[in-house]
Amino acid sequence: MTFDRLVCANCAAPVSEGRCPVCRANRERMQQEGPFGGLSPATLIGLLVVLIAAMALLAHQTA
């Protein structure tokens, strides 16, 4: 989930606005995690399996 859709429980404002120290801290933490920071390990493994299957299918079709 991206921080622009989150609402702060401390000040009830969007986290992306950074109105309070809690918003600013969470916004900074989420920006440092990168694009895959919010994904669970199971989701990452699932994506990896799909990628490997797609590569295998592509290799089989070109051979």
Side-chain angles (χ1 to χ4, degrees):
M1 177 177 277
T2 58
F3 66 92
D4 59 332
R5 303 189 76 160
L6 294 176
V7 175
C8 178
N10 191 44
C11 67
V15 172
S16 61
E17 293 179 6
R19 291 186 184 176
C20 71
V22 176
C23 291
R24 289 189 289 275
N26 281 323
R27 180 179 61 186
E28 194 66 33
R29 180 184 54 84
M30 292 181 79
Q31 286 176 342
Q32 289 177 355
E33 286 180 351
F36 299 111
L39 296 177
S40 70
T43 304
L44 290 174
I45 291 171
L47 288 172
L48 182 62
V49 168
V50 168
L51 179 64
I52 291 171
M55 297 278 294
L57 181 63
L58 182 64
H60 178 57
Q61 286 180 351
T62 58

